[in-house]
Structure formats: C-alpha cells, structure tokens
Amino acid sequence: MCGIFAVFSSSRKPFAGKKCKGRFKKCLREIAYDQSSKQRHRGPEHTGIEVLESDGVAMVHERLAIVGVYTGDQPFRSDKGHILMVANGEIYNYLELSEKIREKRPSYKPKSDCSVLIELYEDHGVELFSYITGMYAFALYDEESKNILLARDPYGIIPMYFGRDREQNIWVASEMKCLVDVCTEIEVFEPGTMMFGPVKELKKKRFFNPDWFDKPLRTHTNLTLLRETFEKAVHSHLECEVKFGCLLSGGVDSSLVASIATKIVRQTDPDFKLETFSIGLEGAPDFEYSNKVAKFIGSHHTEIHFTVDQGLDCIRDIIYKLETYDITTVRCSIPMYMMTRFMKSKGIKMVLSGEGADEIFGGYLYFHKAPNPEDFHHELVKRVRQLHLSDCLRANKSSMAWGIELRVPFLDKEFVDLVMSINPAEKIPGPLNQFQINGKRSHGPRIEKYILRKAFDGGSYLPDDVLWRQKEQFSDGVGYSWIDTISEYAASHVTDEDFAAAAEIYPINTPTTKEAFYYRAIFEEMFPGDHCARTVQKWVPRTDWGCSDDPSGRKQATHTAHKKCKTDV
Ligand SMILES: *[C@@H]1O[C@H](CO)[C@@H](O)[C@H](O)[C@H]1NC(C)=O
C-alpha cells in the first residue's frame, strides 16, 4: 500500500500555485514533492515523481512495497507512454487479469498488482471497474486525450481526498493533510465512484451500485457457500511477497481470518506458523481469548501491553494521522496505532484484520433493537456505505501511520455481495426471531452474526467459546478502564465556559460532550476551516431505536448480559 498525490493545473500552463510565496519560487515538481511529504509515512520505501510540465500535471507516489517489490515503483507509464498513473491499494485478481491482457498482448508482464489498471483502462476505458476486485484509489492522466480518471474502491477501504484551490486547479491525495494548506474546497472522495474528463469538465459517476443498496433481497442463506466464499476471499488476500501477520483480538471476526489463513498456507507449507498480535491494558479481556485462538491454530503469538498513559499520549498523533474528531474512532484507533507500530518493528509489512463483518452481518449490539428486517437491512446498508468514514478509515490510517498495509477480507467484493443479498430476516439478531437456514425454520434467541458463526461451526476452525463469544467493543476488549479514562482525561481539558459556547465555535457537527469538544479543538488546530470539519462524520447508533448515543458497548442499555455494542476487529 502507498500514498498517492496528484495535481492537475486548470490552465495547462506550468503551475504557479499558492505555495510559491516563500523566498524561492517553487517549480511544479517541488510543490508536488513538498505537499506529498506530509503523507510520506504511507510509503517509507520510495518516492516517485512524474511531471508533465506543459500540461501542468504532477503525480507523486510514496511506496510501501508488498507485491512486485522490485518492479512496481510508480508512477506507472503505459507502454505507448501517453498514460500516467499513481495507484494505492491491492488488485487481488491481477494474475487472472494479466492472463486476459496477454490474450491481446502476448508479451505482457505486470510490474505489480496495480499496474494492470493501465492496460485495463486502455482496453476498456472507464468500464474497467467491473473487472477488478480489490481495494484501491488511483489517479490516471491520458496525455493524448487530456482526460483525467480518478477512482476509489466500492467501500472506500483506501482513502482519497479531492480538493480545488482558488484557481480551480485540482488536487488529489491519500490524506487530507497534503491538501489543507493549498485548497479552498476539500471533500472526501466518494467510494465506488469515479471522476472522468478533462480538467475543467470532470464529471462524477458512481460505478458501484448493487441492487441491495436500495432494497433487501431475498436470497436464502447457504452456509456452505458462505464458508467457501469467505475462504476464497481470505485466500486472495494472502497474495504478498513480504512478511505478514494477523491482528487477533480473540473476537470471532479476526479469529476466523487467522484460522482460515493458517489453514490455507499450511496446504503448501505444513509447518507454517502465522504471526498473530493482540493488544490491551494489563488483564484485558481480549488476551484470554486471543491466547486460546493462538494455541488452537498454532500461531506465533505476541501480546502487547500498554499503559493508560501511553495511550493518552497518542491522542494528538492519532487525530493528525487519522484526520478525524469522531470520538469512537479516536478511542478505538489508539490501541491499533500502538499495535501496528510494534508489528512494524518486528518486520511485518502486511496485516490481515477482521473489519467489515459487523457492518455486513449486523454485529453491533444496537442491531438487537432493529424493529424489523427491512429497517435492519437499511441500517446495514448505511453502515456499509459509511465504512470509509469509520472502521476503514481507522484501519487504514492507523496502520499506514507506520507504513503497514492492513487488509480486510470481510470486505471482499464477492463476499459482501453474497452476504448483503441474503434475506435480512435470516440475519437479524434478537430474542425471538423466526429464521430460516438451509430451508429449515427455527425459533429462539439469536446471537449477532449467527450465520457467520454457524458456517464455521464444528470445531475445526475455532474453539466453540471463541466462535460463539459475545462481542466486546474493540476498545472495551483492550481493558474496561480505557474508554472511561480517555473520556475523562479528554473532558478534563475543557472548561464549562468553553463547552457552553460549543455551538457558536463549532456550528458544523457541534460537539455534544466535553470529550468530543477536546478532539474537535485539536482537529481544528491541525485542519482549520469548515471544509475540513465537513469531511468527518460521527459514528452513532440509532438513537430512535432507543440506544444511547455513546457507542461504547458498556454505555448501551442492552449490554446488561455479556453483550457489548461495538465489536472487536
Ligand atoms: C449451496 O452452495 C454449495 C456450494 O456452492 C452448492 O454446492 C449447493 O448446491 C448449494 N445449496 C443449495 C441448496 O443451493
């Protein structure tokens, strides 16, 4: 994974942007290099730049090499030379795609997984998206037609921001920090969409629009198919030329990923031991379960302990790195941020994780309060469509802060499509649901993510008490005192007087607690202006279903048993 940056001058003249006001006038190449330096943590290994002086176009690529380690430096140029591209992400089906490309061009060899995007563009134009599975954001420029193509994957696993300055020049970057001092408009690039056309007539178009966005479908659960499709997804996510590991919170999602990955690699390497990692405060509930899983799957497991103070130290860093002031995201990201730093120090460059399962299966505790399957489905769709502002943002930016690539097999295109097409009546959790699986009707209470657990039942994947474990919110799992302490600590910085003026100071997304106010104030220092504030969205459960608006598991009323509202990774 990497960081990408591109600037397209609106006048096609050598760029004379805002950053030229210093003592020396900067050339386009310097402007691009400097702006992109703010996201250089995403690509610790190489910086590549291409400048098309006469078109006023520059592209920068900060590289973390995972696939095509020796051949994949970017920006890429097409064989004929007129197409230039920078891409961030992984195209998981690139070997298959390369085969297809070779039917037309027998000598074709991909330089890395992302390099196929150029050939696909040459062959299919903007229809290329239907061929690729993966996580990606890219910027492409066709020097002949002068067309720009920008795009982001269906769920926004990979970040991208889009901005314009006063002169209507267009700026694109993986992280907002590269744009904040040059652009007067900034927006989050919408997942599953592209922008295409010449610089002055860029048109936005959605290329990802599955039927289940609008209405629930009625497919019956097929547990065999569910299992096989997920195994296939994990398999494709293992494509990697460097040392990798797996996050292991001991919750069902990450544990399944670790178990399946181990089984797959052992088919070719019977002695394989997966590197697994978990993090928590001393005595955290997650450790007990992650140790169980580690023993069960025979992984090489590392427990990372942190202290509350070490966690609190990271607040500013995390707001800067993640570019958010959402309280859930800030609280949950800190342990992950510390964990990926440790992993990096052990030589790990890629890590598998369990994000996305809660959104597609309905794993959050507040889903127990869904009034009916229809509403349940629409809420899932909303969660899935906001992943890029919450869990995907957290996962990507907390790991990329240290130059580690994080992959999320639950968000595999085919798998999400399968799960989201299932009749929501068969997925909804609750005390008295009637549901139907493999044609049989059953009654009775149903745990969240029932069908996922059921698909891997039988004892060969995970021990029963892990497979059927009730959820811990990620940040509850690391130790119950974490949430309480961080919210008290954050709130202690804010006076009653300041807080009383919250609506005046922050008319957009006004903070409703002192904790939120504190994160917002830090964010505002680093990313001033309404346009930056608008890029953030708050993660809240459905208060109209009777949930507390604090998403922490233990603040949810339904938590009384052993249930928690948000979940582990
Ligand atoms: C369920 O999926 C499996 C695997 O794809 C398939 O072989 C089987 O026929 C399916 N069962 C039903 C009832 O459709």
Side-chain angles (χ1 to χ4, degrees), residues 222 224-225 228:
N222 176 336
T224 314
L225 185 62
E228 289 174 357

Side-chain angles (χ1 to χ4, degrees), residues 163-288:
R164 291 180 205 267
D165 60 21
R166 281 208 176 76
E167 288 81 45
Q168 294 299 304
N169 302 308
I170 286 170
W171 304 71
V172 179
S174 301
E175 298 194 2
M176 181 166 72
K177 43 183 80 65
C178 304
L179 309 183
V180 73
D181 60 342
V182 284
C183 292
T184 47
E185 293 165 53
I186 297 180
E187 41 186 286
V188 175
F189 198 96
E190 204 180 311
T193 63
M194 65 169 133
M195 289 179 101
F196 182 68
V199 67
K200 284 189 179 154
E201 297 151 52
L202 263 188
K203 294 252 165 21
K204 194 191 277 189
K205 192 173 168 228
R206 176 156 273 286
F207 63 81
F208 181 72
N209 232 339
D211 291 345
W212 50 262
F213 265 14
D214 303 320
K215 58 177 191 308
L217 306 182
R218 303 286 168 208
T219 313
H220 281 311
T221 310
N222 176 336
L223 293 173
T224 314
L225 185 62
L226 199 63
R227 188 180 68 240
E228 289 174 357
T229 310
F230 190 54
E231 286 175 327
K232 205 169 114 199
V234 175
H235 201 157
S236 68
H237 283 63
L238 286 169
E239 176 70 40
C240 176
E241 297 168 12
V242 295
K243 192 170 163 190
F244 70 96
C246 189
L247 303 189
L248 190 57
S249 68
V252 60
D253 308 337
S254 62
S255 300
L256 271 179
V257 172
S259 167
I260 294 166
T262 303
K263 277 179 191 276
I264 291 168
V265 184
R266 282 194 188 148
Q267 286 168 2
T268 47
D269 175 5
D271 299 325
F272 175 74
K273 271 179 177 299
L274 184 66
E275 294 278 345
T276 52
F277 299 84
S278 60
I279 187 161
L281 301 173
E282 204 68 46
D286 277 349
F287 288 141
E288 184 193 336

Side-chain angles (χ1 to χ4, degrees), residues 398-417:
S398 2
S399 53
M400 288 306 281
W402 306 111
I404 284 206
E405 171 169 312
L406 189 139
R407 294 185 181 175
V408 285
F410 278 108
L411 293 178
D412 172 79
K413 187 157 119 183
E414 193 185 335
F415 186 66
V416 175
D417 224 38

Side-chain angles (χ1 to χ4, degrees), residues 44-64:
E45 286 158 32
H46 181 257
T47 299
I49 307 190
E50 284 272 356
V51 178
L52 302 173
E53 202 68 54
S54 57
D55 285 14
V57 171
M59 290 189 185
V60 187
H61 187 254
E62 311 289 351
R63 183 165 194 225
L64 170 68

Side-chain angles (χ1 to χ4, degrees), residues 93 107 110 135 203 345 474 517 525 558:
N93 62 340
S107 65
M135 51 176 186
K203 294 252 165 21
S345 76
F474 181 72
F517 188 106
E525 260 175 47
T558 342

Side-chain angles (χ1 to χ4, degrees), residues 6 35 54 70 91 131 135 143 155 252 386 396 421 450 457 462 480-481 517:
Q35 290 306 119
S54 57
Y70 298 104
I91 306 301
Y131 298 89
M135 51 176 186
E143 226 180 325
Y155 307 113
V252 60
Q386 288 187 354
N396 183 281
S421 302
Y450 177 86
D457 205 6
L462 292 175
Y480 292 128
S481 56
F517 188 106

